[in-house]
């Protein structure tokens, strides 16, 4: 293999699976690699080793996430101007101290006490989803199970009636769009989805403010909360709603999907967790390491800097690849093996700490653990009924469909 063989802009390559052979080559031969970009683009730096990914992700002063510098998504140069939200920004595309201010506010909806209080409801919803699939006898695991649980849970957290949850799913899919033909939408459709979502969020916030007593859901909290003496504007609430609608669905759905595939394809590991449910928390972290749902995020250098003796110029795109860091041979023993008893397992699937550490990490872990606890009690004889269909994306490590056969267990 040569560096010229590697093309991380080739989305079709990712439909066959994450090209781990490329990342292994880069870690060994070019851990800080300047990837070319077609059509005269400036290219981007590919950061593949664990300690470098970890360091860049935690240094928001040197490596900016701010949308004014280019944001966190997109390897190529942007050809379509992003929506104009005035001074308002999505929290994901802020740097400290602005990010710190907003993070303190939204943290109020994700305290350990609030997350722990959700477990009975998450379990109840998991049982209903799984029993509905049992009644059908087989399923598309992504559509019928993996997508349903996070969708229902994020609706609960935001205070959205369950009857409206599929609107959230539709808005999320249309806004993100996709380079996958199955989900492709026009720019106009994506803009229409964001307008519909903002209108819904505004009406929801208005209804919450009119309630007495106020609810404990996140939109109620955000509608009343203050940071440094100021309340959020309605546009800022709308942007929070949009971020959580997308983030609360996409990543957890794909992690549950990958977890099922890995357990079925590694029957020795499935047998272990079937025999001992105490192994599930470790299994969840191994799912996160092995199949990181977000493959990379972009940063922009705010000044000239040097990484591993490689000079990087102010304004350069710096892309940290979590999916590579989580297979780094210098950190993880036998990293290509799926081992639910791996310890330690300090993966960076949630970002590796720092200001942008995943807000919903504890919620995601709980959802995945609970759905598999209930699934292993209810389903047995798990087997794939066809080849899983992967998402055409070099950003989201996604699975669109998993045809699955199973029989009802002795619960």
């Amino acid at each position: 293999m040569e560096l010229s063989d590697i093309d991380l802009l080739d989305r079709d390559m990712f439909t066959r699976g994450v090209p781990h052979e490329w990342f292994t080559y880069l870690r060994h031969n070019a851990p800080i690699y300047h990837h070319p970009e077609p059509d005269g683009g400036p290219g981007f730096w590919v950061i593949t080793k664990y300690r470098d990914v970890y360091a860049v992700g935690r240094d928001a002063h040197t490596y900016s996430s701010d949308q004014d510098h280019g944001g966190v998504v997109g390897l190529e140069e942007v050809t379509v101007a992003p929506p104009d939200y005035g001074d308002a920004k999505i929290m994901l595309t802020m740097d400290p101290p602005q990010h710190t201010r907003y993070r303190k506010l939204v943290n109020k909806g994700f305290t350990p006490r609030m997350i722990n209080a959700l477990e009975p409801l998450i379990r109840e919803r998991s049982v209903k989803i799984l029993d509905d699939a049992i009644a059908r006898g087989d399923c598309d695991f992504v559509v019928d199970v993996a997508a349903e649980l996070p969708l229902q849970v994020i609706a609960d957290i935001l205070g959205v009636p369950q009857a409206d949850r599929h609107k959230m799913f539709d808005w999320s899919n249309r806004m993100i769009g996709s380079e996958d033909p199955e989900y492709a939408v026009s720019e106009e459709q994506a803009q229409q989805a964001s307008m519909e979502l903002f209108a819904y969020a505004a009406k929801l916030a208005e209804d919450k403010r009119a309630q007495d007593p106020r609810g404990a859901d996140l939109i109620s909290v955000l509608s009343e909360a203050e940071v440094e003496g100021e309340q959020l504007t309605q546009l800022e609430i709308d942007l929070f709603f949009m971020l959580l609608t997308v983030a609360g669905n996409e990543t957890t759905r794909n992690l549950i999907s990958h977890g099922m595939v890995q357990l079925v394809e590694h029957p020795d590991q499935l047998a272990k967790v079937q025999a001992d449910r105490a192994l599930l928390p470790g299994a969840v972290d191994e799912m996160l390491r092995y199949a990181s749902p977000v493959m990379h995020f972009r940063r922009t250098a705010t000044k000239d800097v040097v990484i591993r003796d490689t000079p990087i110029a102010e304004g350069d795109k710096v892309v940290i690849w979590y999916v590579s860091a989580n297979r780094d041979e210098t950190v993880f023993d036998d990293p290509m093996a799926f081992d639910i008893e791996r310890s330690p397992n300090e993966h960076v699937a949630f970002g590796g700490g720092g200001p942008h550490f995943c807000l919903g990490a504890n919620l995601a872990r709980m959802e995945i653990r609970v759905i598999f606890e209930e699934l292993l009690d209810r389903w047995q004889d798990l087997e794939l009924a066809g080849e899983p269909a992967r998402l055409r994306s070099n950003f989201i490590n996604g699975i669109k469909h998993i045809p699955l056969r199973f029989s009802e267990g002795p619960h």
Side-chain angles (χ1 to χ4, degrees), residues 127-308:
V127 169
K128 176 68 164 58
I129 290 167
L130 294 167
D131 285 351
D132 285 348
I134 288 172
R136 289 191 296 272
D138 57 16
C139 68
D140 179 336
F141 185 77
V142 176
V143 175
D144 298 329
V145 177
E148 266 300 302
L149 181 62
L151 189 62
Q152 292 184 22
V153 171
I154 202 64
D156 288 330
I157 289 173
L158 289 170
V160 171
Q162 286 296 320
D164 289 346
R165 71 183 187 276
H166 288 109
K167 294 180 182 177
M168 299 170 67
F169 186 71
D170 175 59
W171 291 325
S172 175
N173 283 343
R174 282 195 282 148
M175 281 188 302
I176 292 177
S178 179
E179 291 151 316
D180 188 294
E182 185 173 342
Y183 302 130
V185 296
S186 68
E187 183 184 343
E188 291 75 19
Q189 289 172 305
Q191 291 175 345
Q192 179 64 28
S194 65
M195 291 170 60
E196 292 171 13
L197 180 144
F198 282 5
Y200 184 91
K203 179 64 165 62
L204 185 67
E206 179 184 341
D207 291 346
K208 300 294 183 185
R209 282 190 286 265
Q211 288 178 358
D212 189 21
R214 302 289 196 295
D217 58 85
L218 191 56
I219 292 299
S220 294
V221 170
L222 293 179
S223 296
E224 296 298 317
E226 293 185 358
V227 173
E228 299 173 4
E230 296 181 11
Q231 284 190 303
L232 290 179
T233 66
Q234 184 56 54
L235 178 56
E236 289 169 330
I237 292 174
D238 293 347
L239 288 170
F240 267 129
F241 186 91
M242 180 171 71
L243 173 62
L244 294 176
T245 294
V246 175
N249 285 316
E250 193 80 20
T251 53
T252 307
R253 175 178 79 219
N254 283 307
L255 207 285
I256 293 171
S257 300
H258 277 289
M260 172 55 76
V261 171
Q262 297 315 318
L263 288 175
V264 172
E265 291 187 343
H266 297 85
D268 59 324
Q269 302 298 302
L270 176 59
K272 286 180 182 179
V273 80
Q274 284 174 324
D276 184 1
R277 297 292 188 275
L279 295 176
L280 258 175
V284 170
D285 272 310
E286 181 66 346
M287 293 170 189
L288 284 157
R289 183 198 70 85
Y290 196 83
S292 311
V294 176
M295 289 189 277
H296 68 260
F297 268 133
R298 169 185 166 177
R299 301 288 188 261
T300 302
T302 61
K303 59 183 179 182
D304 292 350
V305 67
V306 175
I307 307 178
R308 290 184 183 264

Side-chain angles (χ1 to χ4, degrees), residues 17-33:
V18 176
H20 284 294
E21 65 278 12
W22 286 355
F23 292 113
T24 299
Y25 183 88
L26 288 170
R27 287 194 302 273
H28 290 177
N29 298 282
I32 312 297
Y33 171 57

